[in-house]
């Protein structure tokens, strides 16, 4: 077991909650809209496929980070992938693309939260964006340990809340599920969003560092965290389809469900949505803070500002819808999977051992993850029928 330097040590529960929190926000709340444009059979098999390929990808990233002492993506790329005279240029280009992806992603969380505040309290969009930014940003400002603690509390709260929401939905009038195939375009778009929702790739280095390089705990934390996200995707999607049917907008699933059910059940839906968006906001901005700090050496406070303020500006401008934000972010973020596979291949050969992936990190599995990443990127570009 390596002794990896870290800002703070995480418990197994905190590390797992960071994985859950990274994926449980914008992507999960966008899936019911896409699922309503597909059959229930397609939803089930796409969920299973996306879980398998994403788990492989997360293990590959964990080992890549482990081989580089807990480094984030860009440092790993700089060490393993980029060479020659253009090394610095490629490194900063990757930094810019990945940073853009996270910034747009976080803007989606702010936009989604504003939609909740608007639907629940009638709050103006700008006021909702600013309120959520102040609440969420203050947690990340105080560092990795507080993020881990808040993620754990939020994940437990979400599991309890979703149980109440399911009961409330089933007690009312429910809609039937579609069993008809719609189009391959819609299936690919659904796969893309599910892969994006299960993705906690940028939080994996936080787990590697926070668990002090403990291989068994790293593997278990990633598998459990991704599994919890899979469970939440299935429950939220089926609950929303049962409660709303095909009349799902692009404001986020539980906003629609809460408006449909109303009363105290509606309030529960709003609370879950805000918790889900908060956990993703914390995880993503913590990751970007560390990436900025690794590249610029500005320090954690200045890097925190650089990681969060651009997202606030984009959300205040109201560029696109909640689902639109998340689909745009998924394009760049999934494309990084190609770079990850190449960097991991080189890192695995350089180290000569594979403590985390073992046999599932060999070339055939690398190619499988690569094909899945390309398919997900294609799906994010397609128009929904």
């Amino acid at each position: 077991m390596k002794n990896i330097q870290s800002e703070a040590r995480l418990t197994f529960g905190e590390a797992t909650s960071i994985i859950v929190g990274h994926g449980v926000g914008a992507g999960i709340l966008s899936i019911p809209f896409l699922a309503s444009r597909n059959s229930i059979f397609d939803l089930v098999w796409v969920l299973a496929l996306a879980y398998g390929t994403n788990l492989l990808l997360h293990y590959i990233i964990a080992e890549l980070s482990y081989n580089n002492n807990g480094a984030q993506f860009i440092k790993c790329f700089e060490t393993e992938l980029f060479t020659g005279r253009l090394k610095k240029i490629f490194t900063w280009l990757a930094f810019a693309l990945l940073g853009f992806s996270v910034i747009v992603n976080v803007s989606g969380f702010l936009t989604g939260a504003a939609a909740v505040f608007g639907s629940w309290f009638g709050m103006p969009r700008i006021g909702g964006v600013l309120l959520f930014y102040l609440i969420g940003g203050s947690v990340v400002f105080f560092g990795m340990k507080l993020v881990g603690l808040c993620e754990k509390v939020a994940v437990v709260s979400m599991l309890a809340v979703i149980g109440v929401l399911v009961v409330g939905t089933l007690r009312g009038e429910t809609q039937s599920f579609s069993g008809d195939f719609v189009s391959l375009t819609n299936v690919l778009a659904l796969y893309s969003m599910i892969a994006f929702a299960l993705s906690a790739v940028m939080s994996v280095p936080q787990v590697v560092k926070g668990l002090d390089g403990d291989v068994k705990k790293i593997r278990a934390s990633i598998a459990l965290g991704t599994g919890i996200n899979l469970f939440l995707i299935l429950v939220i999607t089926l609950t929303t389809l049962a409660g709303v049917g095909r009349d799902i907008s692009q404001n986020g699933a539980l906003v629609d469900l809460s408006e449909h059910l109303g009363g105290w059940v509606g309030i529960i839906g709003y609370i879950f949505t805000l918790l889900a968006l908060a956990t993703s906001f914390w995880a993503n901005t913590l990751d970007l803070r560390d990436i900025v700090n690794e590249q610029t050496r500005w320090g954690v406070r200045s890097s925190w500002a650089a990681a969060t303020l651009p997202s606030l500006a984009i959300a205040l401008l109201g560029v696109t819808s909640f689902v639109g934000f998340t689909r745009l972010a998924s394009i760049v973020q999934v494309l990084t999977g190609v770079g990850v596979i190449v960097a991991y291949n080189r890192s695995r050969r350089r180290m000569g051992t594979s403590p985390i992936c073992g046999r599932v990190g060999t070339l055939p599995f690398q190619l499988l993850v690569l094909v899945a990443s390309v398919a997900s990127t294609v799906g994010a570009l397609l128009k929904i029928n």
Side-chain angles (χ1 to χ4, degrees), residues 175-189:
Q175 309 292 322
S176 60
F177 298 140
S178 171
D180 299 327
F181 173 78
V182 180
S183 71
L184 180 60
T185 296
N186 285 16
V187 172
L188 281 172

Side-chain angles (χ1 to χ4, degrees), residues 107-183:
S107 298
F109 304 149
L110 293 168
T111 303
V116 174
F117 288 135
S119 181
W120 192 359
F121 301 115
M123 184 179 294
R125 183 184 62 82
I126 292 177
V129 168
L130 289 173
L131 177 61
F132 188 76
Y133 175 81
L134 290 174
I135 295 172
S138 62
V139 172
V140 182
F141 182 82
F142 288 103
M144 178 179 177
K145 186 62 176 178
L146 183 58
V147 170
L149 289 170
C150 290
E151 293 275 14
K152 184 166 66 174
V153 172
V155 168
V156 172
S157 300
M158 283 189 291
L159 290 171
V161 165
I162 199 64
V164 176
L165 191 62
V166 169
V167 173
T169 301
L170 294 178
R171 290 179 63 184
E173 183 180 351
T174 58
Q175 309 292 322
S176 60
F177 298 140
S178 171
D180 299 327
F181 173 78
V182 180
S183 71

Side-chain angles (χ1 to χ4, degrees), residues 22-23 27 54 57-58 61 73 77 94 96-106 109 192 195-204 280 283-285 287-288 291 325-340 373-374 376-377 380:
H22 190 118
N54 270 263
L57 175 61
H58 284 63
I61 291 168
F73 277 0
F77 286 175
L97 287 173
L98 192 61
F100 168 77
S101 171
V102 180
I103 286 169
V104 172
N105 199 11
V106 173
F109 304 149
S192 175
F196 179 60
L198 288 173
S199 174
V201 291
M202 289 180 59
S203 286
V204 168
S280 291
N284 277 268
T285 52
D287 297 336
L288 187 55
I291 290 173
F325 265 131
T326 54
R327 294 196 74 200
L328 179 61
S330 69
I331 296 171
V332 177
Q333 197 149 311
V334 173
L335 273 174
T336 59
V338 177
V340 165
S373 295
V374 172
S376 186
T377 303

